[in-house]
């Protein structure tokens, strides 16, 4: 019987480092029944009665069902889906931590799973001892670990704490050490599960630079993240999992747009560049609901495409069901496919622009006399709040495009400007000459 996870290279394409074929995995919601079913399965295999397509038993469910994908050298694949959709289960199957019930995984080369940084460390061992233990588990010999030890410690920035027990480390220190151990094993495939959200900004920047270097060297990635910009900036392709099944596969921007539409815009529709949102049931409303979002020109016409340097008015229509004070917007403009940074942030509370509403329909307008965004595709996150902390409504996925006005060159934003040539008077010229004389 063929193993469900093989280290054999795929036969057709030498650049392919990972093949997942029709993989399914089921779990049981009851611990007692899970142990009983496990004994049953062991007995079935010992008796040679392997079931090619096992059926669900009482209290079982499919964590994954019929998942297939391929990954080539130097590619980055994003796994997208809500909690419980099967993303981490798939990574654990690929890494060999658990076996699938059906299907097969084929890998070429070494896998480094970054599923939980520092989770494999022994708290009573020192950082030095944990480096040897962790990297040996990832497939390195003692001689190889010794040759890379200084690089691991330098990247992790552990310093004198390297000889202290890990239980005395902060979570950030353990995360840095775990990441450093994994990336210094020269893996062909990196499995990354939300670990880039751990640590401070400086460490995060170092992680991204290192991952970029590894990718240029041919390392492939499978990335799980709930940060859409992390997926958009690192991955060309994405897989959208929903209740363990593949809902969509394709280019990252298209897959992410579908995911965010399902997640945030259920019941919404976009017509003529206006996003309409369905009314909420009374029990789901916070007292103020967004009903539509669009951009208009100063004359009130809906803009199909925005132009750098031209005026635009962001219009957010809201239905208030009760009186409220200090209502404000927070707007984050995210450039799609770039480095994941916010291109522009506007906060009503920062500008001291808050409003009072009574029950009724309102259109909150944000006038932009000169749109400063460079040409490109953007995603707008609209966050409606009462005072500073109470979130009334959050819309994550209003997409729009910006075109060039023909006057931008080598710029990342549009700067409004005017040009003048002023004649210099004799008095001014004489004074300047006096100022510069030795």
């Amino acid at each position: 019987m063929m193993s469900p996870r093989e280290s054999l290279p795929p036969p057709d394409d030498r650049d392919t480092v990972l093949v997942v074929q029709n993989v399914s995995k089921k779990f049981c919601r009851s611990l007692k029944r899970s142990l009983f079913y496990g004994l049953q399965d062991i007995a079935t295999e010992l008796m040679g009665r392997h079931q090619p397509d096992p059926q669900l038993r009482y209290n079982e469910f499919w964590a994954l069902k019929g998942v297939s994908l391929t990954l080539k050298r130097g590619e980055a694949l994003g796994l997208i889906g809500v909690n419980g959709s099967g993303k981490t289960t798939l990574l654990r199957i690929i890494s060999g931590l658990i076996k699938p019930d059906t299907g097969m995984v084929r890998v070429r080369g070494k896998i480094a799973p970054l599923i939980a940084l520092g989770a494999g460390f022994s708290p009573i061992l020192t950082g030095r001892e944990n480096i040897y233990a962790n990297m040996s588990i990832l497939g390195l010999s003692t001689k190889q670990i010794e040759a890379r030890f200084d690089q691991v410690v330098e990247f992790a920035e552990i310093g004198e704490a390297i000889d202290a027990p890990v239980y005395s480390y902060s979570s950030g220190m353990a995360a840095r050490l775990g990441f450093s151990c994994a990336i210094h094993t020269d893996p062909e495939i990196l499995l990354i599960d939300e670990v880039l959200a751990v640590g401070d900004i400086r460490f995060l920047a170092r992680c991204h630079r290192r991952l970029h270097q590894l990718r240029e060297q041919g390392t492939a990635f499978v990335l799980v993240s709930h940060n859409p910009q992390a997926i958009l900036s690192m991955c060309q392709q994405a897989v959208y999992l929903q209740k363990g099944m593949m809902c969509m596969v394709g280019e990252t921007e298209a897959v992410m747009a579908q995911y965010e539409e399902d997640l945030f815009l259920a019941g919404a529709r976009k017509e003529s560049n206006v996003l309409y949102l369905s009314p909420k049931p009374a029990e789901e409303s916070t007292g103020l609901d967004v009903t539509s979002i669009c951009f208009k020109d100063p004359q009130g016409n809906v803009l199909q495409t925005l132009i750098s340097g031209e005026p635009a008015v962001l219009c957010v229509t809201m239905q208030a069901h009760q009186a409220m004070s200090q209502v404000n917007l927070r707007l984050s403009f995210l450039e799609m496919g770039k480095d994941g940074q916010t291109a522009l942030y506007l906060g009503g509370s920062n500008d001291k622009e808050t409003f009072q509403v009574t029950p009724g329909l309102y259109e909150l307008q944000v006038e932009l006399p000169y749109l400063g965004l460079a040409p490109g595709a953007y995603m707008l996150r609209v966050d409606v709040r009462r005072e500073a902390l109470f979130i009334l409504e959050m819309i994550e996925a209003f997409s729009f495009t910006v075109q060039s006005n023909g006057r931008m060159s080598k710029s990342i934003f549009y700067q409004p400007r005017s040009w003048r040539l002023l004649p210099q008077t004799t008095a001014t010229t004489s004074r300047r000459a006096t100022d510069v004389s030795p």
Side-chain angles (χ1 to χ4, degrees), residues 235-246:
C235 305
Q236 306 99 331
Q237 299 288 315
V239 174
Y240 176 14
L241 293 177
Q242 196 173 62
K243 296 182 179 180
M245 302 182 68
M246 297 178 68

Side-chain angles (χ1 to χ4, degrees), residues 57-263:
R57 294 165 287 195
Y58 178 71
N59 256 3
E60 285 188 329
F61 66 97
W62 289 113
L64 288 175
K65 183 66 174 175
V67 174
S68 299
L69 57 89
T70 60
L71 188 67
K72 294 188 177 182
R73 194 178 307 278
E75 284 186 343
L77 177 72
L79 291 183
I80 303 168
V82 299
N83 290 331
S85 60
K87 305 184 298 297
T88 300
T89 299
L90 180 57
L91 290 192
R92 292 182 180 275
I93 290 175
I94 294 173
S95 65
L97 295 175
I98 57 177
K99 292 173 55 178
D101 290 304
T102 66
M104 181 183 299
V105 176
R106 287 189 168 194
V107 298
R108 175 191 288 130
K110 188 185 303 178
I111 290 181
L114 299 177
I115 296 176
L117 290 181
F121 290 162
S122 171
I124 62 174
L125 298 180
T126 66
R128 182 185 301 273
E129 293 165 336
N130 270 294
I131 289 176
Y132 279 89
N134 189 270
M135 297 184 75
S136 63
I137 292 174
L138 293 176
L140 269 65
S141 65
T142 301
K143 186 176 181 180
Q144 290 174 315
I145 298 173
E146 290 174 347
R148 305 174 194 199
F149 183 85
D150 290 340
Q151 298 175 27
V152 173
V153 176
E154 180 183 0
F155 187 93
E157 296 181 341
I158 296 299
E160 296 179 355
I162 193 63
D163 290 312
V166 166
Y167 71 75
S168 66
Y169 288 11
S170 68
S171 59
M173 292 171 65
R176 294 200 303 270
L177 188 58
F179 185 88
S180 187
C181 287
I183 62 175
H184 285 91
T185 60
D186 296 333
E188 278 73 27
I189 303 173
L190 266 174
L191 307 179
I192 308 172
D193 187 3
E194 287 291 357
V195 296
L196 296 182
V198 181
D200 54 33
I201 295 177
R202 185 168 175 269
F203 171 67
L204 180 61
R206 295 194 70 193
C207 290
H208 279 279
R209 287 195 295 269
R210 181 60 177 167
L211 291 175
H212 178 73
Q213 294 172 357
L214 290 173
R215 186 172 167 187
E216 287 186 331
Q217 296 167 7
T219 300
F221 298 89
V222 180
L223 174 64
V224 171
S225 178
H226 288 287
N227 179 359
Q229 291 308 305
I231 297 289
L232 288 168
S233 62
M234 294 183 63
C235 305
Q236 306 99 331
Q237 299 288 315
V239 174
Y240 176 14
L241 293 177
Q242 196 173 62
K243 296 182 179 180
M245 302 182 68
M246 297 178 68
C247 180
M248 184 178 180
V249 183
E251 294 185 359
T252 304
E253 292 185 5
V255 176
M256 183 61 71
Q258 182 62 53
Y259 167 63
E260 292 190 332
E261 181 177 334
D262 293 344
L263 185 62

Side-chain angles (χ1 to χ4, degrees), residues 413-428:
F413 68 96
Y414 176 81
Q415 173 61 57
R417 68 266 191 185
S418 61
W419 304 77
R420 291 186 297 171
L421 177 65
L422 299 178
Q424 298 296 295
T425 65
T426 303
T428 303

